[in-house]
Amino acid sequence: GENVEQHPSTLSVQEGDSAVIKCTYSDSASNYFPWYKQELGKRPQLIIDIRSNVGEKKDQRIAVTLNKTAKHFSLHITETQPEDSAVYFCAASQGTYKYIFGTGTRLKVLA
Amino acid sequence: DSGVTQTPKHLITATGQRVTLRCSPRSGDLSVYWYQQSLDQGLQFLIQYYNGEERAKGNILERFSAQQFPDLHSELNLSSLELGDSALYFCASSVELADYNEQFFGPGTRLTVL
């Protein structure tokens, strides 16, 4: 069945460095790719998303890139700060159907 | 605040019991998703309802059931509870446009089975 693979499962970076999290999806009909951030004990919240007709999107220190041919999309966080420490989930959605989450990446930003 | 509400926030019960978790979606959202998140685990998709009808099923146990009512609120029923059912249960609602489908999560219900 359709799935979304997410790597790495844990990532530690020094404060100020960049962090990259990668996801691969299997359903070529997927057209919406959100990223959620979940802080400890809290709800997941959308931080950035990208539609299939766009290759890259940036919002301040966060950017997402999409390669439809390879069915890859990635989250890039620059100038990481301690408050970026959280679990990040990618997801792939096909319109109003099939919302599939990745397995999550625990990011630790070391001060 | 996402606009999605869940009750109760915490629930402590014993093995073999039955509980009901409640979710009210954001105003105007027709779709409700339920997820289970065990300690340090990912989001396990359980079930999705759209405008009162079941749309998709994930890894939902037969001891679990859900429904969405005409006013669009949803309930997740967990029966014959086991220790392993202890987890955080989230519901989410979504806009579901053709190319935009952000999910808005509720605060979750933390279930502890003793």
Side-chain angles (χ1 to χ4, degrees):
Chain A
E2 292 89 1
N3 72 321
V4 175
E5 294 187 0
Q6 183 171 346
H7 299 281
S9 57
T10 60
L11 179 59
S12 293
V13 299
Q14 288 295 134
E15 183 178 357
D17 287 351
S18 295
V20 180
I21 303 170
K22 299 181 179 181
C23 288
T24 303
Y25 61 98
S26 60
D27 187 355
S28 57
S30 297
N31 62 356
Y32 175 68
F33 306 92
W35 285 88
Y36 290 83
K37 175 183 180 182
Q38 185 181 25
E39 297 178 357
L40 191 63
K42 297 191 176 178
R43 73 188 86 190
Q45 289 188 283
L46 182 79
I47 55 171
I48 195 167
D49 57 13
I50 192 167
R51 293 169 173 74
S52 59
N53 59 349
V54 175
E56 183 173 358
K57 183 178 178 180
K58 190 172 182 181
D59 182 5
Q60 300 182 344
R61 297 187 296 109
I62 296 172
V64 57
T65 58
L66 171 65
N67 182 328
K68 284 181 60 179
T69 303
K71 294 191 238 174
H72 288 168
F73 58 112
S74 299
L75 177 70
H76 305 253
I77 306 174
T78 57
E79 302 173 17
T80 54
Q81 300 167 4
E83 51 266 36
D84 294 329
S85 296
V87 178
Y88 292 81
F89 292 97
C90 64
S93 172
Q94 180 198 343
T96 58
Y97 297 91
K98 296 182 185 176
Y99 211 105
I100 302 173
F101 277 92
T103 49
T105 296
R106 182 174 301 278
L107 173 65
K108 295 181 184 178
V109 179
L110 308 171
Chain B
D1 186 359
S2 67
V4 178
T5 61
Q6 286 186 251
T7 56
K9 279 190 175 180
H10 303 278
L11 201 48
I12 301 175
T13 188
T15 55
Q17 295 299 304
R18 171 189 170 95
V19 297
T20 297
L21 313 183
R22 183 187 168 103
C23 169
S24 292
R26 290 186 331 149
S27 177
D29 286 355
L30 300 179
S31 202
V32 171
Y33 301 76
W34 284 98
Y35 296 91
Q36 179 192 56
Q37 188 174 44
S38 302
L39 192 62
D40 283 342
Q41 299 294 311
L43 294 163
Q44 297 297 319
F45 169 64
L46 297 178
I47 198 164
Q48 180 199 0
Y49 279 82
Y50 182 83
N51 202 20
E53 299 289 327
E54 180 185 305
R55 172 177 275 178
K57 241 178 183 178
N59 298 322
I60 187 166
L61 300 172
E62 284 191 12
R63 301 183 285 109
F64 295 1
S65 65
Q67 54 184 328
Q68 186 178 29
F69 295 86
D71 67 352
L72 301 178
H73 90 271
S74 178
E75 293 181 356
L76 178 67
N77 300 296
L78 315 177
S79 62
S80 303
L81 286 168
E82 302 176 359
L83 296 177
D85 297 328
S86 295
L88 195 53
Y89 291 84
F90 286 107
C91 83
S93 70
S94 68
V95 176
E96 292 211 357
L97 300 177
D99 63 349
Y100 172 66
N101 193 11
E102 177 181 354
Q103 290 199 5
F104 296 86
F105 283 80
T109 293
R110 183 169 296 283
L111 173 66
T112 302
V113 183
L114 302 175

